Amino acid sequence: PVVLDSHFMLAGANVPSILTLRSVFAHLDPLRDILAASLEGWQPPQVVMIGQESSGKSSILERLAMMPLFPRGDDITTRLPIHVHLRNAESSLPPTLEVVDTATNTTVRGPYVVPAISGHLDVSQQMDEILREEQRGLHGVSSTRRIVLHIENRHVPSIDLVDLPGIVAAGENSAGTKALAEEHIRLHDKHSIYLLTCPAASGPNVSVALDMVIRQGLQART
């Protein structure tokens, strides 16, 4: 099957830094649980998206992943954290999607192997189905589950990307979205760099996401 090769926006197979990280992650990934237990919570580096709803977080994440990933539609609002695990590998494998329990780090739905016969469209469709199933009956955002997409391809770097639910400035979901972002920062701060998105129609000075970055002291890594 076609596994997204023709849908990447740039090829990184011969970039020295990507090839170096490939070797590092090939050794560390199988030992993730052991390292976390023996090295006081060791985690791989991750890029975390922070922003308000509809501020372009998903679009930026797709540019980093070098492929379209997420479903499109006015009725789609992401209320679960989405982790994208990119791994540079000699050969491409079909993407897999799973839902993971945050507390136990165990898979509670999936993993689903995405055939990718139609490239990124299959990933987007499967992501849409999982989001709708997980968010059915959910009030606010989920702090107990996350969606994880695994991609192994010779064109991507080895890195983890995290898309947190958009921060809501006011209303019933405001406290929940802020608390989820703050908890993620607390647990993963030492291993993360941050990308902040602001709506184009408003200035950064009124961004609740920027306010969080400042309050958490993340300016040097944002």
Side-chain angles (χ1 to χ4, degrees), residues 23-106:
S23 174
V24 173
F25 274 83
H27 287 88
L28 293 182
D29 266 343
L31 303 175
R32 182 180 297 221
D33 291 340
I34 297 175
L35 289 169
S38 60
L39 297 182
E40 298 182 356
W42 178 91
Q43 300 170 27
Q46 58 179 224
V47 177
V48 182
M49 300 298 305
I50 298 179
Q52 294 170 239
E53 286 186 316
S54 303
S55 62
K57 293 189 296 87
S58 296
S59 297
I60 296 296
L61 189 66
E62 288 179 332
R63 294 298 295 270
L64 290 173
M66 296 182 284
M67 73 187 82
L69 296 172
F70 301 105
R72 295 289 188 265
D74 294 335
D75 62 332
I76 298 174
T77 301
T78 304
R79 289 183 283 163
L80 282 80
I82 298 176
H83 292 220
V84 181
H85 294 178
L86 301 176
R87 295 296 179 264
N88 186 270
E90 289 286 356
S91 58
S92 301
L93 295 175
T96 60
L97 273 164
E98 61 182 335
V99 179
V100 175
D101 182 278
T102 303
T104 62
N105 204 34
T106 57

Side-chain angles (χ1 to χ4, degrees), residues 8-212:
F8 281 84
M9 291 178 244
L10 58 90
N14 296 314
V15 177
S17 60
I18 289 179
L19 295 176
T20 300
L21 281 173
R22 172 199 295 174
S23 174
V24 173
F25 274 83
H27 287 88
L28 293 182
D29 266 343
L31 303 175
R32 182 180 297 221
D33 291 340
I34 297 175
L35 289 169
S38 60
L39 297 182
E40 298 182 356
W42 178 91
Q43 300 170 27
Q46 58 179 224
V47 177
V48 182
M49 300 298 305
I50 298 179
Q52 294 170 239
E53 286 186 316
S54 303
S55 62
K57 293 189 296 87
S58 296
S59 297
I60 296 296
L61 189 66
E62 288 179 332
R63 294 298 295 270
L64 290 173
M66 296 182 284
M67 73 187 82
L69 296 172
F70 301 105
R72 295 289 188 265
D74 294 335
D75 62 332
I76 298 174
T77 301
T78 304
R79 289 183 283 163
L80 282 80
I82 298 176
H83 292 220
V84 181
H85 294 178
L86 301 176
R87 295 296 179 264
N88 186 270
E90 289 286 356
S91 58
S92 301
L93 295 175
T96 60
L97 273 164
E98 61 182 335
V99 179
V100 175
D101 182 278
T102 303
T104 62
N105 204 34
T106 57
T107 301
V108 294
R109 186 190 293 269
Y112 304 102
V113 177
V114 184
I117 296 173
S118 301
H120 68 275
L121 296 177
D122 294 302
V123 176
S124 178
Q125 181 179 355
Q126 184 70 65
M127 181 82 76
D128 178 72
E129 293 176 5
I130 291 176
L131 277 172
R132 293 183 187 278
E133 291 172 3
E134 285 293 315
Q135 294 179 171
R136 187 178 295 118
L138 178 65
H139 299 286
V141 295
S142 175
S143 60
T144 60
R145 295 191 176 193
R146 65 179 181 269
I147 296 175
V148 182
L149 171 63
H150 302 272
I151 294 175
E152 290 191 22
N153 196 286
R154 59 194 176 90
H155 297 307
V156 300
S158 293
I159 198 167
D160 291 351
L161 308 175
V162 179
D163 186 19
L164 297 175
I167 298 173
V168 179
E172 61 179 358
N173 291 330
S174 177
T177 55
K178 292 176 182 177
L180 182 62
E182 290 171 351
E183 179 66 4
H184 186 92
I185 292 168
R186 185 184 71 82
L187 293 175
H188 305 279
D189 182 48
K190 294 180 180 179
H191 317 277
S192 302
I193 59 174
Y194 302 90
L195 287 180
L196 172 71
T197 59
C198 297
S202 60
N205 60 312
V206 296
S207 168
V208 293
L210 178 58
D211 179 68
M212 174 172 292

